[in-house]
Amino acid sequence: MSNSFKTFLKHTAKDFHNQSVNPPIVRASTIVFKSMQDIRKMQNKAKKNPTGGHFDYGRQGTSTTHILQQILSKLEESYFTFLTPTGFGSVFLAIFSVTRPGDEIIVSDPVYSPTRLLSQDFLKEFYIKTKFYDPHDLKTLEKSITKKTKLIFVENPGSNTFDFQDLGKIISIAKKHKILTAIDNTWGTPYFLKPIKLGFDMSIVSATKYYSGHSDVMGGSLAVNKKVFAKVKAAERITGLRLGPDDAYLITRGLRTLDVRLDRHRENAKKVSEFLSKFKNIKLLYPYKKDSYNFRMWKKYYSGASGLMGIKIKAKSEKSVVKFVNNLKLFGHGYSWGGFESLALHQNVREQGNRKYLKLAKNEHIVRLHIGLEDPSDLIADIKQSLKHLK
Ligand SMILES: Cc1ncc(COP(=O)(O)O)c(C=O)c1O
């Protein structure tokens, strides 16, 4: 009998030795062996089976990080999953692993602003050129390809504007030109979208968000296929970008309830969307309206939607939009998301890293809402009372 992934999440990572429901946290810098022969034996095992969890030094990991890697590789359906101390560490590792001076990369225009700053500014200092493409017009992607292009980096949906892209088409363009692909899949997680199965070479998730689910730990995961494994492994080793065991334990603990939480985030977000869709001055940037391109692209690839959404508000005064956000009582104002709690931010997208293809009129403003696990009728009542501030 093969159990579903929901069952796997609950039953995996037990401590089979001591029989506790959860595995112990194994902290280590030094790992000691009985003899030099034993050290060599372990090193040979690690060489023969580099994904097998054979360690001779704490920086390589311990059984605690290895358990998390195994769970995530099963969830991602990947060859292996690397763990980094932050989600952004995984973004960096993905790009750094496969590019060298003289190369070019192509990045979706609405990426998370630190990813944009990394690619457009920092990589330039290493003679790596970045071009941006319009997520709604993949001709701009294909036109940017040259012999030097090594990587197409996608974030789906786009940050703040929540643009859903034709992922299958991006993969086929990349394959035609023999270019590697990476996707930031933090919004959907592999619970709703399996990028490696779809054909991406690398799949990034900020574990800080839904994997942990409790806003108390940071981490990142980079799932890979066999083709890029050795390159990423080499870069991971040289940069020392690895997650510590305490954080790995907390993320494993969060993962037990990933399915339950994401299903509830989705239900709550749907209810809030239904309420917000009644207002003429508000456009939902969420896969809700069935006749939109965004909805079709979401439906084509995802099995569900998480709790993060944008709303585009038409208002003469930006101050009134800020007032609407400030007067929400159940929504905190903070940057990270994916925890159990609701959040609201007025996003100054125009100032975030000079997007090339941003379509936003002067009187349009973007508010990002993270719909948490509170009672949705309380969240709706809260939004309702604060909407009166919009002008
Ligand atoms: C889409 C996306 N990718 C990556 C990151 C970076 O993750 P972390 O904060 O864990 O470094 C974030 C953080 O907000 C994000 O929203």
Side-chain angles (χ1 to χ4, degrees):
M1 186 187 77
S2 100
N3 289 323
S4 82
F5 188 76
K6 290 182 183 222
T7 307
F8 167 77
L9 275 184
K10 313 298 173 288
H11 283 259
T12 195
K14 285 182 182 166
D15 173 10
F16 291 107
H17 185 64
N18 291 311
Q19 307 290 307
S20 65
V21 169
N22 287 293
I25 302 175
V26 177
R27 302 186 184 98
S29 55
T30 312
I31 297 169
V32 285
F33 295 82
K34 288 210 171 82
S35 65
M36 282 314 297
Q37 283 83 347
D38 281 354
I39 293 189
R40 300 289 177 246
K41 256 191 220 161
M42 173 66 94
Q43 288 166 340
N44 281 335
K45 273 189 194 167
K47 245 187 215 158
K48 272 191 199 143
N49 180 11
T51 62
H54 304 295
F55 311 115
D56 65 15
Y57 186 56
R59 200 195 308 126
Q60 295 164 359
T62 68
S63 59
T64 315
T65 42
H66 187 59
I67 283 167
L68 178 56
Q69 287 174 313
Q70 286 174 302
I71 297 173
L72 291 179
S73 298
K74 177 132 180 159
L75 178 57
E76 292 268 13
E77 298 188 28
S78 61
Y79 181 68
F80 189 66
T81 305
F82 295 90
L83 300 173
T84 53
T86 64
F88 196 61
S90 283
V91 172
F92 178 81
L93 186 60
I95 297 177
F96 185 81
S97 298
V98 299
T99 52
R100 293 296 176 267
D103 289 344
E104 292 180 2
I105 66 169
I106 307 176
V107 176
S108 57
D109 195 44
V111 277
Y112 167 62
S113 65
T115 305
R116 189 174 187 105
L117 296 178
L118 164 68
S119 39
Q120 84 182 8
D121 298 340
F122 190 72
L123 289 184
K124 204 158 62 181
E125 294 180 27
F126 294 87
Y127 305 99
I128 297 165
K129 190 172 172 183
T130 303
K131 293 171 181 172
F132 293 96
Y133 71 89
D134 182 346
H136 297 293
D137 178 8
L138 296 182
K139 281 190 210 112
T140 60
L141 164 62
E142 203 154 12
K143 266 195 239 157
S144 302
I145 295 173
T146 72
K147 281 188 183 143
K148 294 177 183 172
T149 311
K150 285 283 151 42
L151 175 71
I152 297 172
F153 188 100
V154 181
E155 184 178 319
N156 210 54
S159 188
N160 293 318
T161 38
F162 295 87
D163 326 78
F164 284 86
Q165 307 175 49
D166 195 337
L167 301 177
K169 207 164 172 191
I170 294 172
I171 291 167
S172 61
I173 293 171
K175 291 215 161 126
K176 189 168 113 192
H177 295 274
K178 296 194 170 54
I179 298 166
L180 295 173
T181 45
I183 181 170
D184 185 331
N185 185 31
T186 302
W187 183 86
T189 83
Y191 182 59
F192 290 141
L193 173 81
K194 295 199 187 295
I196 301 288
K197 208 172 153 192
L198 203 61
F200 278 93
D201 297 296
M202 296 181 270
S203 164
I204 296 148
V205 175
S206 163
T208 310
K209 312 289 189 290
Y210 289 117
Y211 282 178
S212 105
H214 292 76
S215 309
D216 55 359
V217 60
M218 298 202 74
S221 72
L222 172 58
V224 298
N225 61 15
K226 202 169 176 183
K227 190 161 103 189
V228 295
F229 170 75
K231 275 183 189 244
V232 182
K233 175 103 185 140
E236 183 227 25
R237 190 168 178 205
I238 216 74
T239 55
L241 270 173
R242 285 171 178 152
L243 187 72
D246 290 275
D247 294 338
Y249 176 85
L250 283 174
I251 293 164
T252 302
R253 188 166 81 156
L255 276 170
R256 304 265 191 221
T257 54
L258 178 75
D259 53 326
V260 183
R261 287 182 287 105
L262 272 175
D263 287 345
R264 182 60 72 84
H265 280 291
R266 176 181 57 180
E267 274 171 37
N268 286 3
K270 195 162 178 261
K271 285 181 182 151
V272 171
S273 301
E274 268 157 13
F275 168 74
L276 287 169
S277 68
K278 292 177 195 141
F279 297 87
K280 275 201 181 129
N281 56 342
I282 293 176
K283 186 180 173 220
L284 274 164
L285 306 175
Y286 192 69
Y288 171 74
K289 211 168 173 214
K290 289 199 170 55
D291 57 0
S292 68
Y293 177 81
N294 246 13
F295 183 86
R296 285 200 307 279
M297 287 305 121
W298 165 74
K299 187 89 185 147
K300 195 168 168 187
Y301 298 108
Y302 288 78
S303 62
S306 71
L308 192 73
M309 64 169 73
I311 53 174
K312 199 195 265 182
I313 300 176
K314 259 195 185 152
K316 277 189 201 136
S317 130
E318 185 173 296
K319 260 192 192 162
S320 78
V321 179
V322 173
K323 210 166 174 191
F324 157 68
V325 171
N326 283 346
N327 278 281
L328 290 164
K329 307 278 185 284
L330 294 175
F331 290 74
H333 312 302
Y335 282 103
S336 201
W337 47 277
F340 50 84
E341 77 287 9
S342 288
L343 299 162
L345 280 179
H346 167 247
Q347 292 290 54
N348 219 338
V349 214
R350 289 181 190 87
E351 286 173 17
Q352 287 175 357
N354 306 320
R355 281 195 191 183
K356 204 171 158 189
Y357 299 102
L358 179 68
K359 290 178 193 93
L360 199 62
K362 257 192 170 169
N363 65 342
E364 290 176 331
H365 310 271
I366 289 181
V367 168
R368 192 184 78 180
L369 297 176
H370 179 249
I371 307 302
L373 303 177
E374 299 90 341
D375 186 329
S377 52
D378 290 336
L379 296 177
I380 290 168
D382 191 22
I383 295 171
K384 199 173 175 182
Q385 65 77 28
S386 207
L387 279 174
K388 64 175 181 283
H389 296 287
L390 285 180
K391 280 182 191 123

